Amino acid sequence: MSTTPDFSKLYAQLNLRPDCSLEDFKHAYRRRVATLHPDRHMAGNSPTSKETISLPDLMSLYGVAMQFQKEHGRLPGAPVAGKFKRPPRPPRDARQTPARAAKDDGIPRRGWLLLAGLLAFVIYLVISATPDAPTHAGTSSHQQQLPNATATTTPAGPDYIAVGMDTAAVLSLQGRPSRTSEELWEYGPSWIRFEKGLVVDWYSSPLYRLRSSGQPAPGERPSKH
């Protein structure tokens, strides 16, 4: 049956208190072992009254005390310090590294910049592909009254826009324009110009192609302003 070691004898031999430091404890033990070593007795040193414990018992108590210190973080009999409380772990989102956080924040920002750049590029293409429509002193901003065209109406002349074609044929061939004036019909960025009700010029934009032969109009093209 095992008994609890009497550490008071150990501290009495080392002339220490239980609350001493581990460094002082080890230093005092080494000095006491040197005092109790048989070689000193053989040299004629007489033991003092303090030598009430044998060297094996001292070594055994020291070994048990060191094992206790390793397991509990203090020497036997030393006051128990407040238990160390590990700080709570931060949330998962807060543990991400700064580089990762910067990367996540930058994704939507780059997406918006890319979208804005793409939109600006499309607007530039539309503007650059649309020539300035010719202006005339007699041109009116109000919508011109278009001739009536029925499903049975057939275009007069070829099946594409041509010089000399009248408004009824253009309407049947190309459909209703998005905007009209006295001399100009606009189909989005494309347009057809009339003089005295007959086609004299046109422009077919790649964004809204007219039903033309693909050849440029014979009339002089208006310069951009």
Side-chain angles (χ1 to χ4, degrees):
M1 179 172 147
S2 60
T3 58
T4 303
D6 187 1
F7 292 109
S8 62
K9 293 182 179 181
L10 176 63
Y11 289 118
Q13 290 293 310
L14 303 181
N15 196 24
L16 292 175
R17 295 172 55 87
D19 58 352
C20 66
S21 67
L22 181 61
E23 183 180 356
D24 291 341
F25 182 76
K26 292 180 179 180
H27 184 65
Y29 169 74
R30 287 192 293 268
R31 286 189 303 174
R32 188 58 181 163
V33 168
T35 303
L36 297 177
H37 198 276
D39 291 344
R40 294 180 63 91
H41 295 175
M42 293 176 61
N45 295 329
S46 60
T48 62
S49 59
K50 222 177 201 183
E51 296 174 357
T52 58
I53 187 172
S54 64
L55 180 59
D57 290 341
L58 178 67
M59 296 175 63
S60 176
L61 285 174
Y62 177 80
V64 176
M66 290 302 296
Q67 183 64 31
F68 183 93
Q69 194 278 335
K70 183 182 295 185
E71 295 178 357
H72 301 279
R74 61 185 177 87
L75 292 172
V80 180
K83 292 185 177 181
F84 174 73
K85 294 184 179 180
R86 180 175 296 178
R89 299 181 67 184
R92 185 176 182 84
D93 294 341
R95 294 201 305 271
Q96 66 180 0
T97 60
R100 176 69 179 275
K103 181 178 180 181
D104 294 342
D105 293 341
I107 290 177
R109 193 175 309 162
R110 288 198 299 268
W112 280 112
L113 291 177
L114 180 61
L115 182 60
L118 181 60
L119 182 59
F121 180 69
V122 172
I123 294 176
Y124 169 77
L125 288 180
V126 173
I127 295 176
S128 61
T130 306
D132 297 337
T135 56
H136 304 278
T139 302
S140 175
S141 61
H142 65 276
Q143 292 287 332
Q144 180 184 4
Q145 185 175 0
L146 301 177
N148 294 327
T150 63
T152 58
T153 303
T154 57
D159 56 354
Y160 51 82
I161 304 297
V163 175
M165 183 177 288
D166 59 19
T167 56
V170 172
L171 184 64
S172 176
L173 181 64
Q174 190 65 44
R176 287 185 172 272
S178 58
R179 184 178 179 184
T180 63
S181 62
E182 184 177 354
E183 296 183 357
L184 193 70
W185 287 11
E186 297 180 20
Y187 293 88
S190 302
W191 48 263
I192 303 174
R193 186 163 61 90
F194 298 88
E195 287 185 6
K196 298 180 180 180
L198 300 178
V199 175
V200 294
D201 197 6
W202 67 83
Y203 169 74
S204 179
S205 170
L207 302 178
Y208 192 107
R209 295 188 179 278
L210 299 176
R211 299 188 61 179
S212 62
S213 62
Q215 300 296 326
E220 182 182 356
R221 291 300 178 87
S223 60
K224 293 185 178 182
H225 298 286

